Amino acid sequence: MKKKVFLLTMLLSLLLLSGCGVNLSSKIKLNKDFSGTRTMSCTFSSRDFNAYFKGSKEDLNKLIKESCPDSLTYTSSSDGENDTYTFYLRFSSLDDYKKKVSDLLNFSPDITYEYGDSPFVNGLIYKENFTSKDLMTWLYTALYEKKYIDKDSSSDLWDLKTTQISFLGKTYETKDKININEMTYVPLSSIDIDTITEKSGKLTRKIKFNIPQKTLDQNSGKIRSYFDRNDITWENTSDGKTLCISFNANNFSDLAQKTRSVLHSKSSFGTYNSTCSEDNPFKLKINYKESLDVSNFLSKKGSVPVTYTFNGKQIFNDSIKDKEISFTSFITQPISKYEIAVVWNTSKDIRRKVSFSFRKMITTHQLSILKKQFQGPTISDVTLSGTKTITLSFVQTGSISECNKDFSALFKNSAMTAKEHFSLTAGRKINFSDKIALPFNENGKKLSGHYIFASINPKESISVSITPAHNVKNKTKQNTSTKTISELVHSDENIHDLCDFELTGNSFQANYEGNTAASFWMNVLKWGIPIVVLILILLFLFRKKATIHDMFHTIKQSLSEKINTFIDKINKL
């Protein structure tokens, strides 16, 4: 009998204890991208409400409505015996969850989440340093500050029952902080990521997964299935095999996107930007930035060895889980041919059209960046034409000093100068020098092209030469215009001399000597002969002065006699 009374007393005690305070239960529905909902339900009976709360239910409703944080939404319900307030914390990602949890806690949250579904890393790690009771601190703080509960009862108010986690069809349950670790690891020796820039400008990447034989024996089928969307090849090693996946892309961003697919990652990315080199407008400096996520290939240590190379240069070799890297590379667009057409009028008026032809080795975007380098006060009509074989051309007009400033800014060792002097025997004499220094091709291929010089100055006779002479393959001198020269000549101008030099090499100097000797002596004859004739006449008159005086005196007398005779005859009438 005593035993029955004792058991009945214990049962009543448990029932009383189970009814103490607010029963708090929590459910978390989680997706693998860490989106989901955390539901926290606070349930209390009417007896507990009257025992702990110094106010009415209307007061409680008003308090919750005014105090509920923005990150939470809530509903309320009642079945007569119990009142339940259910709070919802909805989140779209781990970052979103961390931010919203931080707003609810009075300390920094520490959340660990890892999920793997690869043949190498499989399972779930989910840990938190707080409970749902901590997330509800705001409520009992508000109750205490409004004096609806006292300090002694606030510590006994909450009774955390369970936290239930639902993840991909599996349910976990805990009465304390979440601490789930069900991750399994199958070893992977290392990963090699090698990228090269092709001659076409495309990027080719090969990713190698070095797999031990033991791992192949355990998961060979799963591994093949995991990479079934890729074209894979195998290489034998001393302790297993290497799985190789190769692919290419037109630019680095697309390459990084394909890498993300191979690595089954959602956080990897790649960006790049290009600028032209200061000493060569056809040389591009490319700044790359890439984020790698290899979390699907980790070992128990939480990392995997990765070697990353670009165009034969090792960028890093380290054990990582994820890594953001930045590096710089250079690419040069080789030139195949050039044409430089120059129209000479005076040192204040020179015109030229410069064209470069090349097989496209860089991307269209990089070509547009290259085009922008050709600018300056004297430069205009910059164009890009063609698809596979590209022609870049521009026109220069201005004085020699102005054109030289813009051209030498593009090609550092180039120079254009002119000197003039005057002599009594040859008139005005001009020495014009046009030094062209184009960049070397890094592929070792020699440049070839044409330098065409035409004069539209009718007063000058010209002489044009190219040094070094061995660069000249052929020279044509003519008076008819070429198409390029015609574009630079105005309708009221005529070409008086034209020289077309076929050249090899990237550096040469054109030398022009012009003088006005012919026009000078023509002007001398035009004005000199009349003056000389006049002087001779004056000299003749000076030397024959006496004779001329006697002649004029005789003429005067004769005229006087004839006049007198004529007058006498008139008087006799």
Side-chain angles (χ1 to χ4, degrees), residues 509-545:
Q509 180 170 310
N511 302 294
Y512 162 74
E513 291 184 4
N515 65 73
T516 60
S519 60
F520 173 75
W521 284 111
M522 286 296 294
N523 284 328
V524 168
L525 292 174
K526 179 180 178 181
W527 294 100
I529 290 175
I531 292 173
V532 169
V533 171
L534 180 61
I535 291 172
L536 290 174
I537 292 171
L538 291 174
L539 286 174
F540 174 78
L541 293 174
F542 180 77
R543 293 191 65 182
K544 299 294 183 177
K545 181 174 64 174

Side-chain angles (χ1 to χ4, degrees), residues 45-57:
S45 65
S46 298
R47 185 189 55 166
D48 292 331
F49 180 84
N50 295 326
Y52 287 98
F53 191 73
K54 299 175 182 179
S56 65
K57 289 185 179 180

Side-chain angles (χ1 to χ4, degrees), residues 108-121:
S108 297
D110 184 9
I111 304 167
T112 301
Y113 171 74
E114 293 178 12
Y115 170 70
D117 61 353
S118 78
F120 310 96
V121 180

Side-chain angles (χ1 to χ4, degrees), residues 330-350:
F330 292 89
I331 184 172
T332 301
Q333 171 60 66
I335 305 169
S336 302
K337 293 183 179 180
Y338 57 84
E339 182 183 83
I340 302 172
V342 180
V343 171
W344 167 270
N345 188 12
T346 68
S347 61
K348 300 296 183 182
D349 179 15
I350 190 165

Side-chain angles (χ1 to χ4, degrees), residues 300-566:
K300 286 184 179 180
K301 295 179 180 179
S303 62
V304 62
V306 176
T307 301
Y308 186 104
T309 57
F310 192 92
N311 287 341
K313 179 182 178 182
Q314 187 179 103
I315 306 301
F316 78 87
N317 181 12
D318 198 4
S319 291
I320 64 168
K321 175 185 175 183
D322 52 63
K323 188 177 181 69
E324 189 172 298
I325 55 175
S326 299
F327 60 96
T328 299
S329 183
F330 292 89
I331 184 172
T332 301
Q333 171 60 66
I335 305 169
S336 302
K337 293 183 179 180
Y338 57 84
E339 182 183 83
I340 302 172
V342 180
V343 171
W344 167 270
N345 188 12
T346 68
S347 61
K348 300 296 183 182
D349 179 15
I350 190 165
R351 313 157 202 172
R352 64 178 173 184
K353 183 174 182 179
V354 182
S355 300
F356 299 102
S357 297
F358 47 83
R359 188 169 182 82
K360 185 179 177 183
M361 302 285 284
I362 56 178
T363 65
T364 301
H365 174 68
Q366 290 168 340
L367 274 176
S368 66
I369 294 172
L370 188 151
K371 177 185 174 182
K372 291 178 182 178
Q373 302 308 302
F374 293 84
Q375 58 180 325
T378 66
I379 295 175
S380 62
D381 299 334
V382 184
T383 60
L384 278 171
S385 59
T387 52
K388 292 184 178 180
T389 299
I390 307 294
T391 298
L392 185 149
S393 62
F394 63 92
V395 174
Q396 266 196 296
T397 56
S399 68
I400 286 178
S401 60
E402 291 168 343
C403 290
N404 176 62
K405 183 178 179 181
D406 288 342
F407 196 80
S408 60
L410 291 168
F411 304 103
K412 298 300 181 183
N413 294 319
S414 299
M416 187 190 300
T417 60
K419 294 180 181 179
E420 296 185 20
H421 63 275
F422 181 81
S423 70
L424 293 173
T425 57
R428 186 169 61 92
K429 194 172 184 179
I430 301 98
N431 290 315
F432 168 62
S433 172
D434 191 7
K435 181 182 178 184
I436 305 294
L438 303 176
F440 286 99
N441 281 335
E442 293 183 0
N443 59 9
K445 191 174 181 180
K446 286 187 177 182
L447 296 180
S448 63
H450 286 259
Y451 184 90
I452 308 168
F453 188 94
S455 173
I456 58 172
N457 191 322
K459 298 179 181 180
E460 295 177 357
S461 59
I462 70 166
S463 172
V464 185
S465 62
I466 296 286
T467 56
H470 62 78
N471 279 15
V472 181
K473 291 178 65 178
N474 190 28
K475 176 183 177 181
T476 304
K477 190 169 183 178
Q478 60 192 57
N479 290 323
T480 57
S481 177
T482 65
K483 180 181 178 182
T484 307
I485 292 293
S486 297
E487 295 174 3
L488 302 172
V489 177
H490 302 155
S491 59
D492 59 344
E493 296 171 334
N494 295 313
I495 295 172
H496 297 278
D497 291 283
L498 187 146
C499 293
D500 185 350
F501 297 89
E502 185 180 354
L503 305 171
T504 59
N506 68 302
S507 181
F508 60 90
Q509 180 170 310
N511 302 294
Y512 162 74
E513 291 184 4
N515 65 73
T516 60
S519 60
F520 173 75
W521 284 111
M522 286 296 294
N523 284 328
V524 168
L525 292 174
K526 179 180 178 181
W527 294 100
I529 290 175
I531 292 173
V532 169
V533 171
L534 180 61
I535 291 172
L536 290 174
I537 292 171
L538 291 174
L539 286 174
F540 174 78
L541 293 174
F542 180 77
R543 293 191 65 182
K544 299 294 183 177
K545 181 174 64 174
T547 305
I548 292 171
H549 180 269
D550 292 341
M551 183 180 69
F552 272 103
H553 180 71
T554 302
I555 292 171
K556 180 181 178 182
Q557 283 182 339
S558 176
L559 287 173
S560 178
E561 289 175 356
K562 287 181 179 181
I563 291 170
N564 289 333
T565 302
F566 180 73

Side-chain angles (χ1 to χ4, degrees), residues 13 18 38 97 99 110 114 141 156 176 193 244 258 282 310 372 374 386 392 395 452 471 504 510 523 572:
S13 299
S18 64
R38 185 168 190 147
Y97 182 68
K99 182 180 182 304
D110 184 9
E114 293 178 12
T141 299
D156 300 326
D176 199 4
I193 302 174
C244 306
K258 291 183 178 182
F282 291 95
F310 192 92
K372 291 178 182 178
F374 293 84
L392 185 149
V395 174
I452 308 168
N471 279 15
T504 59
N523 284 328
K572 288 178 179 181

Side-chain angles (χ1 to χ4, degrees), residues 217-235:
D217 293 341
Q218 293 176 354
N219 278 2
S220 178
K222 291 181 179 179
I223 292 171
R224 291 179 183 275
S225 176
Y226 192 64
F227 294 108
D228 62 355
R229 294 184 180 180
N230 304 278
D231 293 328
I232 64 174
T233 58
W234 293 91
E235 297 176 359

